[in-house]
Amino acid sequence: MKLEGVELRRVRMPLVVPFVSAHGIESDRDVLLIRACTTEAEGWGECVALSEPTYSSEYVAAAEQVIRNHLLPRVLVDARDGHLDTARSAAAMSQVKGHLMAKAAVELALLDAELQEKGVSLATHLGGVREAVDAGVSIGITGGVANLLDLVDGYVADGYRRVKLKIEPGWDIEPVGEVRTRVGDRVALQVDANGSYGLADAEHLASLDPFHLLCIEQPLADDDLLGHARLARQLRTPICLDESITSAHTAEVAIALGACSVVNIKAGRVGGYLEARRIHDVCVAAGVAVWCGGMLETGIGRAANAALASLPGFTLPGDLSASDRYYDRDLTAPFVLEDGRLRVPTGPGLGVSPLADVLAQVTTSVDYVRVGA
Ligand code: NPG
């Protein structure tokens, strides 16, 4: 199977409710899709970069440029004389520093095409062991407790197995306490600070301890592993790292330092699903629980995340919600909750592909790069 060319396509997907975090507001997702066209198959990847560089230094317009100008030339030269080999293309892309979300999107498109040809599902390829994965829901900063409680009631009624609340200074102890009182022990709760606190807030954050949270995610800045290790000694709530973990190596370092006892694995944040699996393996070996993070993906990215979350070490529910929590019409056939779980696709590769009419409706630009061009 030879790679013939790669399409870069931007789509604009309106969110059913704007998503507010310490990183700003997302009202629609401006998503970059990658389509790898081979002699036998068509593979899809989704880039999780946001429209602004507020979650990490990456943003969607820059990701498109780095893919077009720096990653594809390396992948396409590599593809000229041989069969499509995703692991080799990933190695070729590693000459480029950083841009992990851009690399992950290209890798996923190539992997989808390669696995379709082999007739193997992504879940099987990664080592998945579950047919369905526990679904959690992440709720942005609502700015009002009544509104937050209404949202929580709705999601609990839908059957979500865990609720994650975004917090930031000024929006933390009170809303979290109100939600815990409302749901009792019917549902698992956790919080995500997206790096908005400092070590000086340790005592304040310890006021979350009585709420029996599964974890507090990324309380301190991305590069503050030492601070997280110190904070961990002052809290009973387990610390989970997200933004700080960018590779299997950083996961090993964070664990060795005692900076976290839980890890959020997001393939986009770490450069792809192959590195995500390596992080899973490091965490399992160290006895650290992992769960699958999300970046408001369409059905393309969600299918890949469900496959990843089917690995044995994913013992906590992920930020993996049904399509209707994000979009009125998803790009693919919708993911639906079944008893609080999402089914892991079983078809070859991702096992899903975009619906032609939805794709045509939401596309804002398309570019195609041919091998040898
Ligand atoms: O369900 O996909 C989802 C959203 C999960 O909260 C979520 N993602 O920091 O983990 C995060 C985060 C995020 C998404 C942050 C978008 C900012 C914007």
Side-chain angles (χ1 to χ4, degrees), residues 285-296:
V288 163
V290 305
W291 53 276
C292 182
M295 290 296 284
L296 310 168

Side-chain angles (χ1 to χ4, degrees), residues 239-304:
I239 291 184
C240 170
L241 289 177
D242 173 13
E243 287 93 325
S244 295
I245 306 296
T246 51
S247 63
H249 179 67
T250 52
E252 263 182 306
V253 173
I255 294 166
L257 279 174
C260 63
S261 50
V262 180
V263 169
N264 163 340
I265 304 186
K266 274 181 194 160
R269 195 195 65 222
V270 305
Y273 287 84
L274 302 179
E275 187 69 8
R277 179 178 54 188
R278 289 190 275 272
I279 296 178
H280 162 271
D281 296 347
V282 162
C283 292
V284 167
V288 163
V290 305
W291 53 276
C292 182
M295 290 296 284
L296 310 168
E297 286 90 346
T298 73
I300 296 292
R302 193 161 314 286

Side-chain angles (χ1 to χ4, degrees), residues 19-24 26 29 48 50 54-55 136-140 164 166 192 194 217 242-243 264 266 291 293-297 302 305 318-321 325-326:
F19 191 83
V20 185
S21 70
H23 298 310
E26 293 289 309
R29 280 297 267 129
V48 300
L50 301 177
T54 48
Y55 170 84
V137 63
S138 170
I139 305 180
K164 157 169 146 179
K166 293 278 183 186
D192 182 4
N194 287 116
E217 189 181 349
D242 173 13
E243 287 93 325
N264 163 340
K266 274 181 194 160
W291 53 276
M295 290 296 284
L296 310 168
E297 286 90 346
R302 193 161 314 286
N305 286 346
D319 281 346
L320 269 169
S321 307
R325 181 258 173 274
Y326 311 95

